[in-house]
Amino acid sequence: GKVRVPTHVVSSICDDRGEEPTYAGVSMSELMEREYGVGDVIALLWFKRHLPKYATKFIEMCVMLCADHGPCVSGAHNTIVTSRAGKDVVSSLVAGLLTIGPRFGGAIDDAARLFKAACDADDSPADFVEGLKRRGVRVSGIGHRIKSKDNRDKRVALLQEYARKFFPSTRYLDYAVAVEAYTLQKAPNLVLNVDGAIAAIFLDLLAASGAFSPAEAEQIVNIGYLNALFVVARSIGLVGHALDQRRLQQPLYRHPWEDVLYTS
Ligand code: ACO
Ligand code: LMR
């Protein structure tokens, strides 16, 4: 019989060997003919399936709303400094991307894990927050440096509004909002942030869209797909900042002495 030579690589999301490349079996022609968008491409290449229109639109909203948040945030600042050091677009981009993590933009997966476990276990928001506090763990998805109770994050409002209008269920979002109501009693900046909102709404998508089995939803949360949404989104803004510095011919950045407290 035939002997199959073992391959060195296994790949399950796309195929470029035929007349035209396919993403999860969908050809380039079909992508164009059906006027699919970036949300559909993410659905095919990350989740290997079609998602309903309201879900791909939500993914696109995440990408659009998280594309940039000004020059002062960690990522953009790193990109700007790197670009001003004369580095190329790729170096400036990755310098910014490297700041994405548990404090900045990369709290989505942990927020999803925490909200899912607590909501599925029917923990009250108070028990959830105080339990994490006892363990010395911050609530991922809660808190912001400049946004607060009286200066809400418009992105979070827009995402919530969309989910409440188009999603079959907002159980996890409702839970996250109840957590926010509790944390806001502690400090005005402990708002549900954009990472937390994306996490909670994505949990609702995984649970109620009918596109994922409970085991698949669990796997997606465990593997950690969701920070990647912020990575893709913010790359758009970071490239913008890198190019902007070059266009403006900005000189090498040096931080002012006055802004450093020298304690030696
Ligand atoms: N959970 C519990 N306590 C918190 C949280 C939180 N999420 N955030 C702040 N606190 C508490 C701190 O423990 C601190 O209390 P203490 O003074 O008793 O020690 C107090 O609030 C102030 O903390 P700071 O670190 O000074 O707050 P800051 O405003 O600098 O923090 C940050 C902002 C980093 C976003 C923080 O709220 C946090 O770590 N949140 C969780 C991570 C997260 O969701 N990041 C994504 C932000 S959105 C984005 O980047 C796109
Ligand atoms: C962002 O999107 O970069 C932020 O929410 C972080 C910030 O401090 O503005």
Side-chain angles (χ1 to χ4, degrees):
K2 279 186 186 167
V3 179
R4 181 94 172 87
V5 179
T7 58
H8 293 94
V9 175
V10 181
S11 172
S12 71
I13 60 170
C14 56
D15 197 336
D16 59 313
R17 295 167 301 172
E19 195 187 329
E20 52 178 318
T22 56
Y23 296 161
V26 177
S27 68
M28 300 293 109
S29 307
E30 191 179 341
L31 279 180
M32 295 303 119
E33 278 157 20
R34 300 196 177 207
E35 298 186 4
Y36 286 138
V38 169
D40 297 283
V41 171
I42 290 177
L44 292 170
L45 287 176
W46 293 11
F47 302 108
K48 304 204 307 181
R49 71 200 65 198
H50 288 285
L51 289 177
K53 186 72 195 159
Y54 75 85
T56 56
K57 175 89 184 6
F58 167 69
I59 291 173
E60 284 172 12
M61 278 179 79
C62 294
V63 171
M64 290 164 75
L65 295 175
C66 293
D68 188 56
H69 210 230
C72 303
V73 303
S74 313
H77 185 78
N78 259 19
T79 290
I80 288 170
V81 170
T82 308
S83 183
R84 288 180 57 169
K87 302 282 292 210
D88 57 286
V89 173
V90 175
S91 305
S92 306
L93 167 64
V94 297
L97 288 179
L98 287 173
T99 64
I100 296 177
R103 294 181 183 172
F104 167 67
I108 312 179
D109 286 314
D110 279 342
R113 291 180 191 120
L114 292 176
F115 289 150
K116 184 169 191 321
C119 184
D120 290 354
D122 265 338
D123 287 349
S124 72
D127 286 348
F128 169 57
V129 173
E130 298 306 331
L132 290 176
K133 190 173 178 188
R134 276 195 295 279
R135 286 162 46 203
V137 176
R138 287 189 177 200
V139 190
S140 302
I142 294 285
H144 202 275
R145 290 301 292 265
I146 59 165
K147 294 295 167 189
S148 66
K149 195 174 184 171
D150 301 316
N151 172 28
R152 291 304 182 98
D153 191 326
K154 189 67 186 171
R155 299 169 297 179
V156 172
L158 289 167
L159 290 167
Q160 279 200 52
E161 205 177 288
Y162 181 81
R164 293 197 193 290
K165 197 162 171 192
F166 296 107
F167 276 47
S169 159
T170 54
R171 187 166 81 94
Y172 291 103
L173 174 60
D174 296 342
Y175 186 77
V177 169
V179 168
E180 177 191 52
Y182 183 78
T183 54
L184 280 178
Q185 293 170 22
K186 291 174 169 273
N189 75 321
L190 294 184
V191 288
L192 179 65
N193 61 42
V194 73
D195 281 14
I198 292 174
I201 298 170
F202 223 98
L203 286 175
D204 284 318
L205 195 164
L206 292 173
S209 64
F212 302 92
S213 70
E216 286 173 329
E218 192 79 32
Q219 190 192 33
I220 285 164
V221 172
N222 289 341
I223 288 179
Y225 279 60
L226 305 181
N227 288 345
L229 274 178
F230 192 90
V231 171
V232 167
R234 193 52 59 95
S235 293
I236 299 172
L238 295 178
V239 168
H241 285 292
L243 297 173
D244 190 40
Q245 296 305 306
R246 290 175 82 125
R247 182 171 49 226
L248 296 170
Q249 298 183 323
Q250 289 298 286
L252 179 67
Y253 180 82
R254 195 176 200 282
H255 202 74
W257 276 325
E258 316 80 88
D259 192 39
V260 176
L261 174 64
Y262 288 90
T263 59
S264 57

